[in-house]
Amino acid sequence: MKTDKLTFKTHISANWRAVKLLHSLVPGLLPSSAVKALLSAVQPLLVLFFSARLLDELAGGRDLGIIALYAALAVGVTFAVTAVGAVLDKINDMSSFQSGHMRTIMTRAEHYASLDFEHVEDSRVRELMTEIYGYENWNSFGILRIMWIAPSLFSGVFGVITTAAMLSGMLRGAGAETLPLLFAPAVPVVLGVLLSRYAEGKMNIINSAMPKNNAMGSYYLGGYLFPEKAGKDIRIFKQQPAIENIFSRDGFRETRRRMTRLGSMTSGILGLTNSLIGAAAYIIIGFKALSGAFTLGQVTQYVGAVTLFTGAVTGLVSTLTNFAQNTPFLQKLYDFLDLPKLKYGGTLTTEKRADNEYELEFKNVSFRYPGTTDYALKDLNLKLHIGRKMAVVGMNGSGKTTMIKLLCRLYDPTEGEITLNGIDIKKYDYREYMNLFAVVFQDFKLTGFSLGQNVAAAVDYDAERAARLLKTVGLDIAPPGGGNGEAQKLTLETPLYKSFDKNGTEISGGEAQKIALARALYRACPVIILDEPTAALDPIAESEIYEKFDGLVGESTAIYISHRLSSCRFCDDIAVFDGGELVQRGSHDALLEDKTGKYHELWNAQAQYYE
């Protein structure tokens, strides 16, 4: 957390941007809050005014008609404001706040999903996301805080203005003894600013511990404790005491206590200051009443107005302090939302060819991951033959997956270029270019939605096609509703996992792999890539899946990646990577004949496991 002092301009711009963002997410929230705050500020003053007139009439002429009129007006104003407030509450109920909270989360999620992959893999961006999430859940900082304190700001502003207008009658034509009251409101304001600056420094110190605490909380509570993660390990190795010790040792409770003490101190000082100002006002009003300057009704009116005024000033200063304390957390959010786009989007269209005649070529391509000095790929020259099946093999860390990331434009080359039909792929429309590829990565993920939606990677899908592809990859499913002894089988409507549905099905690793393969086929892309999605299987099982899948891709260009040479020997074209370089290329038999080559070395090193 930055400890630099923030300028007044920074506070204004950060919070104004937050207000605009919130209004765009929940358009009716702020206007309805402002209207309700104005009515809430005016209503007690009108009641005070009519009550004061009623008292004066009782002490004076005692005209029953006038007394009834003032009484009716006081009751009527209260009823009208209450009725309008109830309507606004209905518009602006808790669901609006919940909707606003959900939309802020979705805004972050949508932005994160649209970021360049380079940002997604950047540990600094992940840390920033963790901080934003943690601050929001720790003490409702960020946009969520604006949602809660904006109504208080409206109430404070309108309260100060309306009560000051009523009290102006008390000061009009008054003597020098009332002049201090003109400047009294400045006292809590100045004091509030000073306390805000003091609290800002203290909050920075307190919050410096929060990122680590939040990261730990997100890690343990956000999934580690779940059965699919470490539920079994926690129980077998009795990790519960260790986890509890981590939470207690690293100051979760102490941080919360320090924040509470700081808030209580600032609120107490401001409350005491306003009480003293109110007491001074009461004394002056009392003397004025004794001297005959104020009627009984005016005394009642001004005493009530002073009470409301001091309360409004205290609330306003507290709210402004809240806005100021929220600024650093808003800046974290803006740091994330303002992450620059790193990739050139391109404008050329990728011609949709029925013959899938797409030629891809790496030309002198070298690549370093951001923040590193070593090359993950060096001087790669590689042409992908159209409609052919190519295997990419090599040991872990040899550059195989990096090549695929570059081919799919998850990253752009540090040096050299990749071309599609002779044109640099950066010049093509990014989305159109990405539509050429279907990839099954080693760490592929499925969602908690239905089986059919997972296959199509969409909400709406072609059920007949999805079912056919699942059967093709070896996953037998039942028709909708099951029946005929097939109740235990998956259907296209079956939710995967229990993340969102208690009736969801926990699928096996083998079933998940088949669903991922069906998803790649459903996409019907000219280029299909398998990046070791079956690495957890034994070599024979992996080889069988690869060979079966090879018969399903049809005329598409297919790339099979594996560190197991036996899984890809069926390919006529095998590229061998080592240390980030393409060191050999050819058929299995031709490569094996070169006894000095890397392929021969790897084959013989692995052969004992296949025999």
Side-chain angles (χ1 to χ4, degrees):
M1 195 76 185
K2 296 179 181 179
T3 56
D4 299 336
K5 291 292 184 181
L6 300 172
T7 64
F8 178 75
K9 182 179 179 182
T10 302
H11 285 297
I12 294 296
S13 61
N15 283 283
W16 178 241
R17 179 178 175 181
V19 168
K20 290 193 293 184
L21 177 58
L22 177 60
H23 181 64
S24 69
L25 296 174
V26 195
L29 182 64
L30 295 179
S32 59
S33 295
V35 172
K36 184 180 179 183
L38 177 59
L39 292 175
S40 298
V42 170
Q43 183 260 341
L45 294 179
L46 289 175
V47 171
L48 273 176
F49 177 80
F50 292 130
S51 298
R53 302 291 80 75
L54 189 150
L55 286 174
D56 285 342
E57 187 61 31
L58 286 172
R62 298 186 179 183
D63 186 316
L64 291 179
I66 296 177
I67 292 173
L69 175 62
Y70 285 137
L73 287 173
V75 173
V77 166
T78 301
F79 176 79
V81 171
T82 302
V84 175
V87 173
L88 292 174
D89 283 339
K90 192 175 182 65
I91 298 173
N92 208 19
D93 61 5
M94 184 56 68
S95 63
S96 297
F97 289 94
Q98 292 171 342
S99 174
H101 187 196
M102 182 57 65
R103 290 179 187 178
T104 59
I105 294 174
M106 289 303 300
T107 297
R108 291 201 306 270
E110 290 168 1
H111 183 67
Y112 189 70
S114 67
L115 286 176
D116 291 326
F117 191 71
E118 183 174 329
H119 284 314
V120 175
E121 283 203 323
D122 190 333
S123 61
R124 294 168 298 182
V125 175
R126 290 200 296 270
E127 181 180 342
L128 183 60
M129 281 285 289
T130 300
E131 286 187 54
I132 294 170
Y133 175 81
Y135 290 137
E136 188 174 89
N137 285 275
W138 178 266
N139 210 25
S140 301
F141 285 114
I143 297 296
L144 186 59
R145 175 63 64 93
I146 299 294
M147 247 191 316
W148 291 111
I149 63 177
S152 299
L153 176 65
F154 296 138
S155 296
V157 170
F158 291 139
V160 168
I161 292 173
T162 53
T163 52
M166 177 167 281
L167 290 172
S168 64
M170 180 183 76
L171 300 174
R172 193 178 302 119
E177 71 278 5
T178 61
L179 290 180
L181 288 180
L182 293 174
F183 302 99
V187 176
V189 173
V190 173
L191 186 60
V193 171
L194 295 176
L195 286 173
S196 176
R197 302 297 281 182
Y198 170 78
E200 182 182 315
K202 290 293 183 181
M203 283 292 289
N204 283 330
I205 296 173
I206 293 172
N207 291 324
S208 62
M210 287 176 64
K212 180 182 177 182
N213 291 344
N214 290 328
M216 289 168 52
S218 298
Y219 176 74
Y220 285 108
L221 302 178
Y224 182 79
L225 303 178
F226 295 167
E228 60 270 22
K229 291 291 182 67
K232 298 184 290 291
D233 301 88
I234 290 172
R235 286 153 182 79
I236 291 174
F237 294 102
K238 295 180 172 57
Q239 296 177 346
Q240 298 97 323
I243 294 173
E244 291 173 5
N245 183 55
I246 289 172
F247 276 88
S248 60
R249 185 186 66 223
D250 285 284
F252 284 85
R253 297 186 185 91
E254 178 58 26
T255 302
R256 174 65 73 180
R257 281 195 293 267
R258 292 170 67 187
M259 292 179 67
T260 301
R261 286 197 299 267
L262 180 62
S264 299
M265 182 195 71
T266 54
S267 298
I269 293 175
L270 284 174
L272 177 61
T273 303
N274 281 287
S275 296
L276 294 175
I277 294 173
Y282 296 149
I283 292 172
I284 293 174
I285 293 171
F287 278 119
K288 285 287 186 181
L290 292 174
S291 66
F294 292 158
T295 65
L296 177 61
Q298 288 176 315
V299 169
T300 303
Q301 174 180 313
Y302 293 141
V303 167
V306 167
T307 302
L308 293 173
F309 179 75
T310 54
V313 170
T314 301
L316 180 59
V317 172
S318 178
T319 300
L320 293 175
T321 301
N322 231 322
F323 272 100
Q325 291 176 350
N326 194 41
T327 300
F329 306 101
L330 290 173
Q331 289 183 311
K332 289 286 185 183
L333 175 63
Y334 301 151
D335 287 343
F336 170 69
L337 295 178
D338 295 338
L339 285 170
K341 188 171 182 62
L342 303 175
K343 285 187 175 61
Y344 175 64
T347 56
L348 296 180
T349 182
T350 56
E351 182 183 358
K352 295 183 179 180
R353 304 175 62 102
D355 57 7
N356 279 346
E357 288 292 322
Y358 298 100
E359 183 176 86
L360 291 156
E361 184 174 5
F362 289 77
K363 295 182 178 180
N364 302 314
V365 170
S366 296
F367 177 72
R368 292 191 303 263
Y369 282 99
T372 65
T373 56
D374 296 330
Y375 281 95
L377 277 181
K378 185 67 175 175
D379 296 326
L380 176 60
N381 289 280
L382 176 68
K383 181 180 290 187
L384 303 181
H385 299 300
I386 306 303
R388 296 278 296 278
K389 314 300 187 286
M390 185 179 77
V392 179
V393 300
M395 298 298 291
N396 291 332
S398 61
K400 306 185 300 297
T401 297
T402 299
M403 184 200 81
I404 298 305
K405 288 179 180 179
L406 294 176
L407 182 62
C408 296
R409 281 210 74 191
L410 296 178
Y411 287 94
D412 285 333
T414 306
E415 302 166 13
E417 66 176 3
I418 304 172
T419 62
L420 170 64
N421 293 341
I423 300 174
D424 191 330
I425 61 174
K426 295 179 184 177
K427 296 181 180 180
Y428 289 100
D429 179 271
Y430 182 75
R431 291 184 180 275
E432 284 196 24
Y433 178 78
M434 293 290 282
N435 287 335
L436 298 177
F437 301 95
V439 187
V440 184
F441 288 104
Q442 179 177 344
D443 56 350
F444 69 86
K445 302 296 180 187
L446 301 176
T447 70
F449 303 130
S450 74
L451 172 60
Q453 290 171 333
N454 269 276
V455 172
V459 175
D460 301 316
Y461 58 92
D462 184 333
E464 181 181 347
R465 184 178 171 207
R468 183 178 70 253
L469 290 175
L470 286 168
K471 185 176 182 180
T472 300
V473 298
L475 187 64
D476 195 16
I477 65 171
N484 299 322
E486 297 181 304
Q488 301 304 314
K489 285 186 178 181
L490 291 169
T491 70
L492 291 176
E493 292 77 23
T494 302
L496 301 188
Y497 314 115
K498 299 182 184 296
S499 305
F500 310 123
D501 193 320
K502 65 180 181 180
N503 297 317
T505 296
E506 296 294 334
I507 57 176
S508 68
E511 289 173 326
Q513 290 162 353
K514 292 174 182 178
I515 295 170
L517 294 174
R519 180 172 63 184
L521 292 172
Y522 188 97
R523 192 168 164 82
C525 295
V527 182
I528 299 179
I529 303 169
L530 299 190
D531 185 6
E532 301 195 87
T534 55
L537 300 181
D538 63 80
I540 295 176
E542 181 182 69
S543 179
E544 289 175 350
I545 289 177
Y546 270 32
E547 290 187 37
K548 183 176 181 179
F549 190 79
D550 186 60
L552 303 177
V553 297
E555 299 300 319
S556 297
T557 300
I559 303 174
Y560 302 93
I561 297 178
S562 180
H563 63 278
R564 295 166 174 163
L565 276 60
S566 64
S567 299
C568 301
R569 60 181 298 178
F570 66 88
C571 291
D572 293 331
D573 187 13
I574 301 176
V576 185
F577 279 73
D578 185 46
E581 297 184 17
L582 175 63
V583 294
Q584 284 182 286
R585 188 176 183 182
S587 67
H588 168 73
D589 292 334
L591 292 172
L592 205 55
E593 287 180 4
D594 183 2
K595 297 184 179 180
T596 62
K598 189 68 178 178
Y599 189 85
H600 185 276
E601 175 192 333
L602 294 174
W603 179 265
N604 284 290
Q606 297 177 12
Q608 56 179 311
Y609 302 108
Y610 312 143
E611 296 171 354

